Amino acid sequence: DVSYTVVTDRLESVTGTDACDPEKALVLGPCFVAPQEYPRLSCRTVDLEPAPADLEEAARQVIAECRSASTERRVAYRNRRRYALKYVQTDLEANRVRPLERGGAYVITGGLGRVGMLLARHLVAELDATVILLSRSLPPERASWPGLLADETTSPDLRHTLHVLTELEAGNARYRILQVDITDSAAMQRLSAQLQRDYGSLAGVIHAAAVTRGPSLLCPMKSLDQHLSRSEEHTSELQSLAYLVC
């Protein structure tokens, strides 16, 4: 088994007045995703105060964490006190979590992908919802679906999409497929106006646009540019989604 400790500063907000650097949150990705993909790995983060007055004390804190058998994965030190992130049970009723609206209209980005299809199927089955599936490309013409489903050379992703759409149709589900690039702000503004005219208010917007195949932790260098270009699009995607929820 392999255990590693990542030492940071300005990562955790402990006291509420800490000066944090949001970019350092990126370190949490590999720290907590890697052990999920490789069970024999374990990781913890130790966040220190910037420029600690007592470097020897800070070094002792880090060494102690490296040697510790504690299962706490996010640790921070402030004024020589140790803090650890813990999750506590909460009462959903007391916090008045808004329930999903039965019969409402839900927008799903990446609607024709595997995650989008799974969510659409669930919303239709459990809430009798109307689902608006957003995708950069439209599926083939409806008349070609039976042939594509019977064709062994049809890609697994397309076969899965057509199978779920056929299933939704057989159940008389209310669904709609709209072609749009969600990184295009102008297109999203037009879409928002269109949906407001057609449905009034939306019950929810689910951002499910993602690539779910291939190695996510250790990707070949030749595919790194593709991963980086997709990550750069996330900011514009989230900004565009604001037009639907505001």
Side-chain angles (χ1 to χ4, degrees):
D1 293 351
V2 177
S3 175
Y4 61 100
T5 300
V6 177
V7 181
T8 63
D9 66 2
R10 293 177 294 162
L11 172 64
E12 304 285 6
S13 177
V14 177
T15 66
T17 60
D18 298 322
C20 295
D21 184 349
E23 292 183 352
K24 294 196 174 185
L26 293 172
V27 76
L28 297 175
C31 283
F32 298 109
V33 172
Q36 296 179 49
E37 298 188 2
Y38 299 92
R40 301 193 69 174
L41 284 179
S42 62
C43 174
R44 79 178 59 188
T45 59
V46 179
D47 193 54
L48 304 178
E49 294 179 287
D54 189 338
L55 289 176
E56 290 187 2
E57 176 65 18
R60 283 193 292 269
Q61 292 167 345
V62 172
I63 293 172
E65 291 296 337
C66 292
R67 292 175 173 174
S68 172
S70 170
T71 59
E72 294 164 333
R73 297 307 176 200
R74 289 175 67 173
V75 175
Y77 283 87
R78 297 292 187 271
N79 296 321
R80 298 191 175 186
R81 295 190 61 182
R82 182 182 187 273
Y83 297 85
L85 177 67
K86 293 185 178 180
Y87 296 96
V88 296
Q89 186 173 350
T90 186
D91 185 343
L92 296 181
E93 289 297 327
N95 285 278
R96 298 182 181 180
V97 174
R98 178 185 174 187
L100 295 175
E101 179 182 330
R102 184 169 187 81
Y106 291 83
V107 170
I108 304 175
T109 70
L112 297 184
R114 287 183 177 268
V115 175
M117 291 278 87
L118 179 66
L119 291 167
R121 178 187 278 166
H122 176 78
L123 290 172
V124 167
E126 299 298 325
L127 298 174
D128 189 29
T130 297
V131 289
I132 301 103
L133 308 173
L134 305 187
S135 177
R136 291 192 179 195
S137 58
L138 295 175
E141 292 292 331
R142 179 63 182 85
S144 68
W145 292 6
L148 289 169
L149 286 170
D151 189 345
E152 294 182 356
T153 65
T154 301
S155 71
D157 287 344
L158 178 57
R159 184 187 302 277
H160 179 267
T161 297
L162 298 182
H163 174 75
V164 176
L165 291 177
T166 302
E167 179 183 289
L168 292 176
E169 283 188 358
N172 295 317
R174 299 184 302 277
Y175 78 89
R176 184 177 181 184
I177 303 171
L178 297 176
Q179 184 177 19
V180 66
D181 179 355
I182 66 172
T183 67
D184 185 336
S185 295
M188 291 298 288
Q189 289 185 63
R190 293 192 295 271
L191 175 66
S192 177
Q194 177 185 346
L195 295 178
Q196 188 172 11
R197 290 193 301 270
D198 295 346
Y199 300 100
S201 62
L202 296 174
V205 178
I206 303 174
H207 185 39
V211 177
T212 58
R213 61 181 179 274
S216 57
L217 178 63
L218 301 175
C219 62
M221 289 302 294
K222 64 182 181 180
S223 66
L224 185 58
D225 287 342
Q226 177 182 354
H227 284 262
L228 291 176
S229 64
R230 281 295 300 144
S231 66
E232 290 170 355
E233 291 178 356
H234 287 331
T235 299
S236 55
E237 288 179 357
L238 295 177
Q239 290 173 341
S240 297
L241 289 177
Y243 295 117
L244 298 178
V245 298
C246 293

